[in-house]
Amino acid sequence: MIKLTKPHPGRITDSTYIDVGINTESLPYNYRIIAYDANSNRIDTSSVASSVRLEAHPQVNKIELVWAADVPWSNVSDTYPKHWIYRGPEGATEDQLELIDSVNVNRLGFHYLDSGQYNHTPLENTKAYCYRVMTRGTYGNPKIAAPLLNFSQKLCAIPNDTTPPCKPDFGSDIIAQRCDNLPNGGCGAVIYSNTISWNKPVDKVCGNDIVSYNIFVADQLGSEFLQYVENIRDTVFVDNNKDLTSFARCYKIQAVDRSGNKSELSDQFCFDNCTHYELPNVFSPNADGCNDVFAAFGDPDHDTMCEANDDPSKCAKSVARVDFIVYDRWGKQIYQLEDSKERSIYIRWNGLDNDGREVPAGVYYYRADVHYITVDPDNQEALLKGWVQLVRGKSE
């Protein structure tokens, strides 16, 4: 999910700005500068420069560091080939971290393996170590001061960490869609999208150790949850995949720490579809273009009840299949919707029996077994019984 940041609330005349109150432990930050003249006309804009993002990969008695930054200058140069590695104990502030080593990134890349070479003492597998990396770069332009120094966030890790992170919890502000809030009442084309959010653990030991999340989904209650998306770096996820054909889906979240340990899956949160199916009680197959077939409300190909069909509260919603049988007043079956590729959830009975003969005008009784698309299997079937008046003859 893209996070938008607000610009500085005003114009500054200095060439230095200090951004305070930011959370570099959880988020990377990107910056650019826009220049204006004295008349507030925009002159030009800089390229975007990011903060340095540090990752740690614990090993037995070792911690591997990897870092990256998206900046318009070069952090790999012959003039300033080394990046500096700072380290300190758990609880140390950024200023208390000590310079322990440097890396020639021209030869080794943005990578450092701390095995205790700084003081010739192997790292302890039960002890936390905190790091910070300073990159050094240049534009290669003698008119621009160098080196350009850029610090990563402070990052702590434990060698040989085998403890999984805390189980995530869904946020209290997550809500399912309201049926009365769907565009056009949920009739016609619907763009399906589910948004979930979850909380980072309050426990700092758990929270600071998490680097990403995996999303698991199941389309029905009681079904197996399968991994859907991995390596989510935010605590919000918008599921708007083009293959999402309904709201009906359950989600669980899994946290992943710096050592690759995975948490227990969270409790589930489920979205469900809005369901509805309604049939009229009269039709007249007289080819006048109005209620010529017996069809459910919302049929895009047939106007069931003329102007009444425009009511979005009546249209069929989230229907997978309809099994339909018509009986005469003596209980004899005269028509059954046959199972075929051409069958429609809207029924579209034209007043003919199963042998293709017109049935006389009168009252007929029907049974419709409606199968909905829902996340809860207990809500997937509904039985509709009713009657319909078939009217013959030309309309005036």
Side-chain angles (χ1 to χ4, degrees), residues 323-336 349 354 359 362-369 383-388:
D323 299 320
F324 179 72
I325 301 176
V326 179
Y327 304 90
D328 63 18
R329 68 180 65 188
W330 296 281
K332 179 183 177 182
Q333 177 180 318
I334 62 169
Y335 176 77
Q336 181 174 5
W349 179 41
N354 283 130
V359 300
V363 175
Y364 293 88
Y365 301 89
Y366 64 80
R367 172 191 173 113
D369 292 280
L383 172 61
L384 300 182
K385 290 183 177 181
W387 60 270
V388 58

Side-chain angles (χ1 to χ4, degrees), residues 292-331:
D292 286 327
V293 297
F294 181 64
F297 288 102
D299 187 350
D301 296 333
H302 295 84
D303 195 349
T304 332
M305 290 294 289
C306 301
E307 66 276 0
N309 198 35
D310 295 332
D311 185 352
S313 68
K314 293 177 175 289
C315 74
K317 302 180 183 71
S318 304
V319 178
R321 189 179 86 249
V322 176
D323 299 320
F324 179 72
I325 301 176
V326 179
Y327 304 90
D328 63 18
R329 68 180 65 188
W330 296 281

Side-chain angles (χ1 to χ4, degrees), residues 321-324 336-344:
R321 189 179 86 249
V322 176
D323 299 320
F324 179 72
Q336 181 174 5
L337 184 65
E338 295 183 354
D339 191 6
S340 68
K341 293 181 180 178
E342 291 75 27
R343 72 177 295 167
S344 167

